[in-house]
Amino acid sequence: MRTQVAIIGAGPAGLFLSHLLHLQGIESTVIEIRSRADIEATIRAGVLEQGTMDLLTETGVGERMRAEGALHHGFELAFGGRRHRIDLQGLTGKSITVYPQHEVIKDLVAARLAAGGDLRFEVSNVAVDRIDSSNPIVRFDHQGASHQIEADFVVGCDGFHGVSRPAIPASLREDYQRIYPFGWFGILVESAPSSDELIYAQHDRGFALISTRTPTVQRLYFQCDPTDHVDNWSDDRIWNELHTRVENTDGWRLNEGKIFQKGIIGMRSFVSAPMRCGRLFLAGDAAHIVPPTGAKGMNLAISDVNILSKALGQFYRQGSEQGLDTYSDEALKRVWRAEYFSWYMTSMLHTFADATPFERQMQRAQLDNVVNSRALATALAENYVGAF
Ligand code: FAD
Ligand code: DHB
């Protein structure tokens, strides 16, 4: 089979790219190893930056996000027994929306299928070939048969563990990485939100985050050993840990409820550069990973494919490769700023077991500075809403 752009992976990057290309009259095929039901049910990120919200709206896939997502104009930093509000709207004129990633996925799959898009789920044995020619190919198995897509371009949107990045010879890319000595224990809870806004809490026992999903479901996280196992954590133990880490002296209480999902995620910072080799382009987690503290992962994936779709549009409309040639540099500029912000938030809010007493005092002084300086709070808010 033949298409203009072969897209590997139906995460936010792959699906949104296919949608953006369709809006420009460019044909694509998306192949995905998991089932539609699986990608539409996997719990991941929750925060959409203002720019992501605007893009989804402008491209006609933001209706449910606007109706069902929760618009947040600020969030809180909790430490030293007190909560401090970061006024995103007041400091930057922008806000964020809490709308789960799997709902974005559902909206994008529905839009692609309604437009007759070519999405193939549950494929296997995916391989990329001839990326240094003008007609690269993607091979895969589907429903018991072997297939081959011939395309003008291949875009690897297959996440950190996909096959696209390894298809670029190691000698042609530079990988940058930091692995953190902790992970996040995430739970979903049946209960009303404990707070109207997200709370990022720093505590000697470790970081904790209070987020929401719907008016009846809370999303809560706390720092844990990345090698720990969910079976070691009874509901009682989880609630004790969360109460200790997030409750302050102001009388605010965390709502408990039935815990119906538990999971542990590891944390790393990772960038592979450049995000292109010949006719193979990388976007989203296939090229870079951030620790979740800055809530940037999905937003970066959306931003990458927005840049790439414009470059592909320029190629097909004007025959110009200029945008394709600058894609990697342009995307990486934003990626490195988000890497910095995610590392900064992670370092400022987590407990490092090997920190000296001096380093712990520096961490507390850093938080004090942020909440007492309008300049520092503005810089934090600008990064959080993605105002760059
Ligand atoms: P992905 O969403 O990973 O999509 C890649 C897709 O490619 C997947 O559907 C995968 O099945 C498919 N695929 C893989 N290999 C192949 C192959 N060989 N062939 C075809 N398809 C393939 N970010 C936050 O900001 N906050 C969070 O709380 C948060 N939680 C997370 C929890 C988990 C468990 C994970 C893994 C990530 C989390 N992230 C979070 C990060 C955020 O979800 C990602 O940055 C975002 O999903 C990136 O989108 P993507 O489209 O680039 O990649
Ligand atoms: C959520 C995840 C994050 O990584 C974050 O910084 C804020 C909220 C969430 O899943 O709701």
Side-chain angles (χ1 to χ4, degrees):
M1 64 184 90
R2 220 207 111 70
T3 189
Q4 289 175 300
V5 182
I7 299 173
I8 306 177
L15 290 167
F16 194 52
L17 177 61
S18 179
H19 177 64
L20 292 174
L21 293 177
H22 164 70
L23 296 180
Q24 300 181 85
I26 302 167
E27 217 180 65
S28 66
T29 294
V30 181
I31 57 168
E32 164 62 51
I33 46 175
R34 294 187 297 151
S35 67
R36 178 180 177 186
D38 195 8
I39 63 165
E40 291 188 344
T42 304
I43 307 295
R44 286 198 174 176
V47 172
L48 306 185
E49 292 173 352
Q50 178 87 49
T52 304
M53 291 150 55
D54 293 346
L55 263 176
L56 295 177
T57 296
E58 284 158 19
T59 59
V61 284
E63 197 177 321
R64 226 162 50 86
M65 170 202 70
R66 283 195 309 282
E68 296 173 24
L71 192 62
H72 289 216
H73 299 305
F75 68 83
E76 291 184 327
L77 289 175
F79 60 94
R82 290 192 54 204
R83 291 185 291 147
H84 309 261
R85 183 163 191 265
I86 301 292
D87 180 2
L88 297 173
Q89 181 67 35
L91 293 167
T92 69
K94 296 182 185 329
S95 301
I96 55 122
T97 289
V98 177
Y99 185 62
Q101 178 167 324
H102 65 275
E103 300 295 344
V104 175
I105 295 279
K106 281 187 207 166
D107 297 342
L108 291 172
V109 169
R112 289 310 296 121
L113 293 178
D118 187 6
L119 306 183
R120 316 243 167 152
F121 295 104
E122 297 179 77
V123 306
S124 56
N125 296 324
V126 178
V128 189
D129 206 356
R130 296 204 312 234
I131 57 174
D132 46 9
S133 77
S134 57
N135 55 343
I137 54 176
V138 178
R139 297 193 186 87
F140 62 98
D141 295 340
H142 190 221
Q143 295 174 340
S146 293
H147 300 269
Q148 176 167 306
I149 310 177
E150 289 191 23
D152 299 330
F153 300 97
V154 176
V155 185
C157 299
D158 47 350
F160 184 68
H161 300 288
V163 296
S164 303
R165 191 179 65 257
I168 300 178
S171 59
L172 298 182
R173 59 185 157 91
E174 184 93 42
D175 290 351
Y176 304 83
Q177 169 152 267
R178 176 182 192 124
I179 295 177
Y180 297 85
F182 38 72
W184 278 13
F185 198 113
I187 59 172
L188 285 170
V189 181
E190 265 173 30
S191 72
S194 304
S195 163
D196 290 339
E197 296 185 333
L198 271 62
I199 304 175
Y200 288 80
Q202 186 267 339
H203 191 276
D204 286 347
R205 294 187 61 84
F207 170 75
L209 170 60
I210 308 302
S211 181
T212 61
R213 280 295 176 265
T214 67
T216 55
V217 174
Q218 292 195 91
R219 177 71 164 150
L220 311 177
Y221 299 96
F222 58 94
Q223 177 182 346
C224 67
D225 178 339
T227 62
D228 208 342
H229 197 273
V230 290
D231 294 344
N232 294 329
W233 287 83
S234 67
D235 291 4
D236 275 354
R237 186 175 172 214
I238 291 173
W239 289 120
N240 280 338
E241 199 59 46
L242 279 167
H243 283 298
T244 307
R245 294 190 192 186
V246 302
E247 281 169 12
N248 291 307
T249 48
D250 59 7
W252 174 84
R253 295 280 296 165
L254 175 65
N255 289 344
E256 289 192 18
K258 183 171 170 243
I259 299 175
F260 64 94
Q261 208 243 8
K262 299 179 186 176
I264 292 178
I265 53 169
M267 287 170 63
R268 79 171 80 218
S269 299
F270 175 84
V271 177
S272 184
M275 292 166 61
R276 172 193 189 173
C277 182
R279 288 280 177 121
L280 170 65
F281 291 81
L282 301 179
D285 278 16
H288 43 74
I289 297 285
V290 285
T293 328
K296 291 285 167 231
M298 174 171 41
N299 295 290
L300 279 180
I302 296 287
S303 158
D304 284 352
V305 298
N306 185 40
I307 299 170
L308 185 55
S309 73
K310 287 182 187 153
L312 288 165
Q314 198 184 43
F315 175 83
Y316 284 110
R317 272 192 314 276
Q318 298 154 19
S320 164
E321 297 204 21
Q322 200 200 334
L324 295 173
D325 290 342
T326 55
Y327 162 70
S328 177
D329 285 348
E330 200 183 326
L332 282 168
K333 240 187 249 167
R334 190 184 170 87
V335 166
W336 277 117
R337 289 192 68 175
E339 289 284 345
Y340 168 73
F341 177 64
S342 306
W343 165 85
Y344 155 84
M345 286 284 277
T346 302
S347 312
M348 182 165 69
L349 289 163
H350 289 74
T351 297
F352 289 77
D354 61 352
T356 62
F358 178 80
E359 286 165 338
R360 285 173 199 259
Q361 292 298 336
M362 290 300 99
Q363 192 182 31
R364 175 56 58 83
Q366 186 180 27
L367 279 163
D368 263 330
N369 263 337
V370 166
V371 299
N372 286 299
S373 154
R374 190 178 169 88
L376 291 179
T378 304
L380 190 159
E382 283 172 353
N383 278 276
Y384 195 80
V385 300
F388 49 74

